[in-house]
């Protein structure tokens, strides 16, 4: 199955809408990394490399009816990975990480 890539105008629209907003870091890391929604929402401060230039994907957040939200390891070994981030996302992520304690990064 081929990977779907968003056109530049759509990416630029997301960047413009997110810049300066409460969820800026989440959206810019999403756009820059291509990580899945559950992978982004399962990130914790310990998954962010020093300098905030990379994130380690180690788990995913899933919703199971009658149970609720659960954190699981990725479905395959290839799902565990390090994603390098460009400055576009690294700067906002660094600001977002300052003063955060343990637990989900984007709550």
């Amino acid at each position: 199955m081929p990977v779907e890539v968003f056109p530049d105008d759509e990416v630029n629209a997301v960047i413009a809408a997110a810049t300066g907003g409460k969820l800026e870091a989440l959206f810019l890391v999403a756009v820059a990394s291509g990580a899945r929604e559950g992978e982004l929402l399962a990130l914790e401060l310990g998954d962010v490399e020093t300098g905030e230039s990379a994130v380690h994907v180690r788990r995913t957040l899933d919703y199971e009816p009658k149970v609720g939200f659960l954190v699981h390891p990725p479905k395959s070994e290839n799902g565990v990975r390090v994603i390098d981030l460009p400055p576009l996302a690294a700067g906002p992520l660094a600001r977002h990480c300052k003063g955060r304690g343990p637990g989900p990064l984007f709550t």
Side-chain angles (χ1 to χ4, degrees):
M1 179 180 220
V3 174
E4 182 180 341
V5 178
F6 291 102
D8 288 347
D9 61 325
E10 289 182 18
V11 171
N12 290 333
V14 170
I15 293 168
T19 300
K22 181 178 175 181
L23 299 175
E24 176 183 27
L26 173 62
F27 282 103
L28 295 183
V29 170
V31 166
S33 70
R36 295 171 186 88
E37 178 183 13
E39 294 171 338
L40 293 165
L41 296 177
L43 288 174
E44 297 181 359
L45 189 58
D47 298 322
V48 179
E49 270 192 25
T50 305
E52 291 78 23
S53 60
V55 292
H56 293 257
V57 175
R58 298 179 173 120
R59 64 193 78 76
T60 187
L61 180 71
D62 292 315
Y63 179 78
E64 295 184 16
K66 299 183 182 178
V67 177
F69 290 98
L70 298 172
V71 176
H72 298 283
K75 292 179 184 175
S76 73
E77 287 183 25
N78 291 336
V80 177
R81 61 200 186 281
V82 177
I83 301 173
D84 293 322
L85 298 174
L88 165 81
L93 183 59
R95 289 189 298 276
H96 182 77
C97 288
K98 283 190 180 182
R100 294 196 65 90
L105 192 57
F106 299 114
T107 57

